[in-house]
Amino acid sequence: MGERGILISFEGPDGAGKTSVLKVILERLKPVLGDRLLVTREPGGNNNPLAESIRDMLLSSDYPELDDRTEVLLFAAARRQHLVQTILPALADGKIVISDRYLDSSIAYQGGGREIGVEKVMSVNEFATEGVVPDYTIYFDVKPEVGIQRINSTRTNEINRLDQAEIAFHKRVSNAYLDLVAADPGRFRLINAEINFDSVVEETWQEVKTILQL
Ligand SMILES: Nc1ncnc2c1ncn2[C@@H]1O[C@H](COP(=O)(O)OP(=O)(O)O)[C@@H](O)[C@H]1O
Ligand SMILES: [Mg+2]
């Protein structure tokens, strides 16, 4: 008690394996950490109906009119609510908080992918987060093509072919992510996420154990 917790984010392109790996890591951490562990996600957040409502809006296909900058603001609004209502109270309680995506996703997807510009998206997010950055970020490194292949192969209603615009978008996302990794090697832990699932889990587990000194 009295000691601030630790914030860890999982980041990487779609299909990198973040959510699947986190599920396994969660099962291993639960017996060790018990109530000291909080797993959450963005957009949205654990026990955060307001942020989850914004998530529903963002992921809905009902709003094709969604403007790129509105999208940035909605992600930032959800993040703000997630931070003040879920993350910061848990950290103040000394908890280990692991979030499936956080700030870097906006920089990579809206800044890089949607070409709004990394600086602009950073400044909106600086307002939203007041500079709260994860202590550690596990980056699941996959070539964009690999991630898209994995996602597409689980879709039944789509032909399994890679659309050029889709590849270009995901390349920009990946490049923006890799710039962030290069700029902050102290925060990022890089995982080769192209190898088989069990090996990705083991690599991630080693990093998490090291971070938490387990
Ligand atoms: N290392 C891996 N090798 C092969 N398939 C994987 C691997 N990691 C995840 N997958 C598969 O890829 C798909 C996307 O995984 P997911 O965990 O949802 O990725 P993310 O959360 O990063 O978008 C799932 O069908 C998952 O089973
Ligand atoms: Mg996921």
Side-chain angles (χ1 to χ4, degrees):
M1 282 294 284
E3 209 174 312
R4 185 189 174 276
I6 299 173
L7 176 59
I8 303 171
S9 60
F10 277 30
E11 292 282 359
D14 291 305
K18 301 175 294 298
T19 305
S20 320
V21 171
L22 183 53
K23 227 167 122 184
V24 181
I25 298 293
L26 168 64
E27 289 311 314
R28 293 188 188 185
L29 283 176
K30 260 200 275 190
V32 186
L33 296 174
D35 286 350
R36 274 191 70 215
L37 176 66
L38 178 74
V39 171
T40 187
R41 68 165 180 197
E42 287 204 355
N46 186 282
N47 209 1
N48 198 319
L50 175 51
E52 286 284 320
S53 293
I54 302 174
R55 176 193 181 89
D56 291 342
M57 265 187 244
L58 282 164
L59 303 188
S60 164
S61 49
D62 293 345
Y63 310 113
E65 68 272 34
L66 180 65
D67 169 77
D68 282 354
R69 288 183 185 222
T70 308
E71 186 183 39
V72 172
L73 293 166
L74 285 174
F75 273 111
R79 177 160 306 121
R80 173 70 188 169
Q81 194 62 31
H82 184 215
L83 185 70
V84 298
Q85 190 183 342
T86 304
I87 296 177
L88 290 180
L91 291 177
D93 268 357
K95 291 190 178 171
I96 309 301
V97 180
I98 306 182
S99 187
D100 186 345
R101 295 191 180 280
Y102 180 66
L103 171 68
D104 302 311
S105 286
S106 285
I107 311 299
Y109 281 81
Q110 278 71 51
R114 297 245 187 270
E115 297 184 293
I116 288 172
V118 163
E119 294 298 325
K120 286 196 186 75
V121 177
M122 273 184 176
S123 79
V124 170
N125 277 276
E126 167 59 35
F127 176 76
T129 63
E130 297 178 273
V132 178
V133 169
D135 298 290
Y136 300 94
T137 298
I138 313 270
Y139 183 71
F140 291 78
D141 192 24
V142 286
K143 283 190 286 293
E145 296 87 339
V146 174
I148 306 168
Q149 285 283 10
R150 285 182 189 164
I151 298 285
N152 282 353
S153 66
T154 59
R155 287 180 193 159
T156 49
N157 59 342
E158 246 169 85
I159 314 157
N160 194 7
R161 101 188 136 76
L162 298 188
D163 178 79
Q164 284 309 310
E166 200 181 359
I167 292 179
F169 174 84
H170 286 282
K171 280 200 170 128
R172 290 195 299 274
V173 170
S174 173
N175 288 337
Y177 262 135
L178 293 173
D179 287 347
L180 291 169
V181 173
D184 201 350
R187 168 160 72 94
F188 283 96
R189 299 289 181 273
L190 219 72
I191 302 286
N192 175 4
E194 289 191 7
I195 55 179
N196 72 77
F197 181 73
D198 290 345
S199 303
V200 177
V201 168
E202 289 318 315
E203 265 199 49
T204 309
W205 179 236
Q206 290 310 319
E207 292 291 356
V208 169
K209 277 204 305 187
T210 304
I211 290 168
L212 301 179
Q213 299 174 335
L214 298 177

Coordinates of all heavy atoms in Angstrom, one line a residue, residues 39-75:
V39 N -7.0 -6.0 -15.6 CA -6.8 -6.1 -17.1 C -7.9 -5.3 -17.7 O -9.1 -5.4 -17.3 CB -6.8 -7.6 -17.6 CG1 -6.9 -7.6 -19.1 CG2 -5.6 -8.3 -17.0
T40 N -7.6 -4.5 -18.7 CA -8.5 -3.6 -19.3 C -8.2 -3.4 -20.8 O -7.3 -4.1 -21.3 CB -8.5 -2.2 -18.5 OG1 -9.6 -1.4 -19.0 CG2 -7.2 -1.5 -18.6
R41 N -8.9 -2.6 -21.5 CA -8.7 -2.5 -22.9 C -9.2 -1.1 -23.4 O -9.9 -0.4 -22.8 CB -9.5 -3.5 -23.6 CG -11.0 -3.3 -23.5 CD -11.8 -4.1 -24.5 NE -13.2 -3.8 -24.4 CZ -14.2 -4.6 -24.9 NH1 -13.8 -5.7 -25.5 NH2 -15.5 -4.3 -24.8
E42 N -8.7 -0.8 -24.6 CA -9.1 0.4 -25.3 C -9.4 0.1 -26.7 O -8.9 -0.8 -27.3 CB -8.0 1.5 -25.2 CG -7.8 2.1 -23.9 CD -7.2 3.5 -23.9 OE1 -6.8 3.9 -25.0 OE2 -7.1 4.1 -22.8
P43 N -10.3 0.9 -27.4 CA -11.2 1.9 -26.7 C -12.1 1.2 -25.7 O -12.5 0.0 -25.9 CB -11.9 2.6 -27.8 CG -11.9 1.6 -28.9 CD -10.6 0.8 -28.8
G44 N -12.5 1.9 -24.7 CA -13.4 1.4 -23.6 C -12.6 1.2 -22.3 O -11.7 2.0 -22.0
G45 N -13.0 0.2 -21.6 CA -12.2 0.0 -20.4 C -13.0 -0.8 -19.4 O -14.3 -0.9 -19.4
N46 N -12.3 -1.5 -18.5 CA -12.9 -2.4 -17.5 C -13.8 -1.6 -16.6 O -13.4 -0.6 -16.0 CB -11.7 -3.0 -16.7 CG -12.2 -4.0 -15.7 OD1 -12.7 -3.6 -14.6 ND2 -12.1 -5.3 -16.0
N47 N -15.1 -2.1 -16.4 CA -16.0 -1.4 -15.5 C -16.2 0.1 -15.8 O -16.2 0.9 -14.9 CB -15.5 -1.6 -14.1 CG -16.7 -1.7 -13.1 OD1 -17.8 -1.6 -13.5 ND2 -16.3 -1.8 -11.8
N48 N -16.3 0.4 -17.1 CA -16.3 1.8 -17.5 C -17.4 2.0 -18.6 O -17.0 2.0 -19.8 CB -14.9 2.2 -18.0 CG -14.8 3.7 -18.0 OD1 -15.7 4.4 -18.4 ND2 -13.7 4.2 -17.6
P49 N -18.7 2.0 -18.2 CA -19.7 2.0 -19.2 C -19.7 3.2 -20.2 O -20.0 3.0 -21.3 CB -21.0 2.1 -18.4 CG -20.6 2.0 -16.9 CD -19.2 1.9 -16.8
L50 N -19.2 4.3 -19.7 CA -19.2 5.5 -20.6 C -18.1 5.3 -21.6 O -18.4 5.5 -22.8 CB -18.9 6.8 -19.7 CG -18.6 8.1 -20.5 CD1 -19.7 8.4 -21.5 CD2 -18.5 9.2 -19.5
A51 N -16.9 4.9 -21.3 CA -15.9 4.6 -22.2 C -16.3 3.5 -23.2 O -16.0 3.5 -24.4 CB -14.5 4.3 -21.6
E52 N -17.0 2.5 -22.6 CA -17.4 1.4 -23.5 C -18.5 1.8 -24.5 O -18.6 1.3 -25.6 CB -17.9 0.2 -22.6 CG -16.8 -0.6 -22.0 CD -16.0 -1.5 -22.9 OE1 -16.6 -2.2 -23.8 OE2 -14.8 -1.6 -22.7
S53 N -19.3 2.8 -24.1 CA -20.3 3.4 -25.0 C -19.6 4.1 -26.2 O -20.0 4.0 -27.3 CB -21.2 4.3 -24.4 OG -22.0 3.7 -23.4
I54 N -18.5 4.8 -25.9 CA -17.8 5.4 -26.9 C -17.1 4.4 -27.8 O -17.1 4.5 -29.1 CB -16.7 6.4 -26.4 CG1 -17.4 7.5 -25.5 CG2 -15.9 7.1 -27.5 CD1 -16.4 8.4 -24.8
R55 N -16.7 3.3 -27.2 CA -16.1 2.2 -28.0 C -17.2 1.7 -29.0 O -16.9 1.4 -30.2 CB -15.7 1.0 -27.1 CG -15.2 -0.2 -27.8 CD -15.1 -1.5 -26.9 NE -14.7 -2.6 -27.7 CZ -13.4 -3.0 -27.8 NH1 -12.4 -2.2 -27.3 NH2 -13.0 -4.0 -28.5
D56 N -18.4 1.4 -28.5 CA -19.5 0.9 -29.4 C -19.7 1.9 -30.6 O -19.9 1.4 -31.7 CB -20.8 0.8 -28.6 CG -20.7 -0.3 -27.6 OD1 -19.8 -1.2 -27.7 OD2 -21.6 -0.3 -26.6
M57 N -19.6 3.2 -30.3 CA -19.8 4.1 -31.4 C -18.7 4.0 -32.4 O -18.9 4.0 -33.6 CB -19.7 5.6 -30.8 CG -21.0 6.2 -30.5 SD -20.6 7.9 -30.1 CE -21.1 7.9 -28.4
L58 N -17.4 3.9 -31.9 CA -16.3 3.8 -32.8 C -16.2 2.6 -33.6 O -15.8 2.6 -34.7 CB -15.0 3.9 -31.9 CG -14.6 5.3 -31.5 CD1 -13.6 5.3 -30.3 CD2 -14.1 6.2 -32.6
L59 N -16.7 1.5 -33.0 CA -16.6 0.2 -33.7 C -17.9 -0.1 -34.6 O -17.9 -1.0 -35.4 CB -16.4 -1.0 -32.8 CG -15.1 -0.9 -31.9 CD1 -14.9 -2.2 -31.1 CD2 -13.9 -0.5 -32.7
S60 N -18.9 0.7 -34.4 CA -20.1 0.5 -35.1 C -20.0 0.8 -36.6 O -19.2 1.6 -37.0 CB -21.2 1.4 -34.5 OG -22.3 1.5 -35.4
S61 N -20.8 0.1 -37.4 CA -20.8 0.4 -38.8 C -21.9 1.3 -39.2 O -22.2 1.5 -40.4 CB -20.8 -0.9 -39.7 OG -21.8 -1.8 -39.2
D62 N -22.6 1.8 -38.2 CA -23.8 2.7 -38.4 C -23.4 4.1 -38.8 O -24.2 4.9 -39.2 CB -24.6 2.8 -37.1 CG -25.3 1.4 -36.8 OD1 -25.3 0.6 -37.7 OD2 -25.8 1.3 -35.7
Y63 N -22.1 4.4 -38.6 CA -21.7 5.8 -38.9 C -20.6 6.0 -39.9 O -19.5 6.4 -39.6 CB -21.3 6.5 -37.5 CG -22.2 6.3 -36.4 CD1 -21.9 5.5 -35.3 CD2 -23.5 6.9 -36.4 CE1 -22.8 5.3 -34.3 CE2 -24.4 6.7 -35.4 CZ -24.0 5.9 -34.3 OH -24.9 5.7 -33.3
P64 N -20.9 5.6 -41.1 CA -19.8 5.8 -42.2 C -19.4 7.2 -42.3 O -18.4 7.5 -42.9 CB -20.5 5.2 -43.4 CG -22.0 5.3 -43.2 CD -22.2 5.1 -41.7
E65 N -20.3 8.1 -41.8 CA -20.0 9.6 -41.9 C -18.9 10.0 -40.9 O -18.5 11.2 -41.0 CB -21.2 10.4 -41.7 CG -21.8 10.4 -40.3 CD -22.8 9.3 -40.1 OE1 -22.6 8.2 -40.7 OE2 -23.8 9.4 -39.3
L66 N -18.4 9.1 -40.1 CA -17.5 9.5 -39.0 C -16.3 10.2 -39.6 O -15.5 9.6 -40.5 CB -17.0 8.3 -38.2 CG -16.0 8.5 -37.1 CD1 -16.6 9.4 -36.0 CD2 -15.5 7.2 -36.5
D67 N -16.0 11.4 -39.2 CA -14.9 12.2 -39.7 C -13.6 11.8 -39.0 O -13.6 11.4 -37.9 CB -15.3 13.7 -39.4 CG -14.1 14.6 -39.6 OD1 -13.8 14.9 -40.8 OD2 -13.4 15.0 -38.6
D68 N -12.5 11.9 -39.8 CA -11.2 11.4 -39.2 C -10.9 12.1 -37.9 O -10.4 11.5 -37.0 CB -10.1 11.7 -40.2 CG -10.1 10.7 -41.3 OD1 -10.9 9.7 -41.3 OD2 -9.3 10.8 -42.3
R69 N -11.1 13.4 -37.8 CA -10.8 14.2 -36.6 C -11.7 13.9 -35.5 O -11.4 13.9 -34.3 CB -10.6 15.7 -36.9 CG -9.4 16.0 -37.7 CD -9.2 17.5 -37.9 NE -8.1 17.7 -38.8 CZ -7.1 18.6 -38.6 NH1 -7.3 19.5 -37.6 NH2 -6.1 18.7 -39.4
T70 N -13.0 13.7 -35.9 CA -14.0 13.3 -34.8 C -13.5 12.0 -34.2 O -13.6 11.8 -33.0 CB -15.4 13.1 -35.5 OG1 -15.7 14.3 -36.2 CG2 -16.5 12.8 -34.4
E71 N -13.0 11.1 -35.1 CA -12.6 9.8 -34.6 C -11.4 10.0 -33.6 O -11.4 9.3 -32.6 CB -12.1 8.9 -35.8 CG -11.8 7.5 -35.5 CD -11.3 6.7 -36.6 OE1 -10.5 7.3 -37.5 OE2 -11.6 5.5 -36.7
V72 N -10.5 10.8 -33.9 CA -9.4 11.1 -33.0 C -9.9 11.6 -31.7 O -9.5 11.1 -30.6 CB -8.4 12.2 -33.6 CG1 -7.4 12.6 -32.5 CG2 -7.7 11.7 -34.8
L73 N -10.9 12.5 -31.7 CA -11.4 13.1 -30.5 C -12.2 12.0 -29.7 O -12.2 12.0 -28.4 CB -12.3 14.3 -30.8 CG -11.6 15.5 -31.4 CD1 -12.5 16.5 -32.0 CD2 -10.7 16.2 -30.3
L74 N -13.0 11.2 -30.4 CA -13.7 10.1 -29.7 C -12.8 9.1 -29.0 O -13.0 8.7 -27.8 CB -14.7 9.4 -30.6 CG -15.9 10.2 -31.0 CD1 -16.7 9.4 -32.0 CD2 -16.8 10.4 -29.8
F75 N -11.7 8.7 -29.7 CA -10.7 7.9 -29.0 C -10.1 8.5 -27.8 O -9.9 7.9 -26.8 CB -9.6 7.5 -30.0 CG -9.9 6.3 -30.9 CD1 -10.1 6.4 -32.2 CD2 -9.9 5.0 -30.3 CE1 -10.4 5.3 -33.0 CE2 -10.2 3.9 -31.1 CZ -10.5 4.0 -32.5

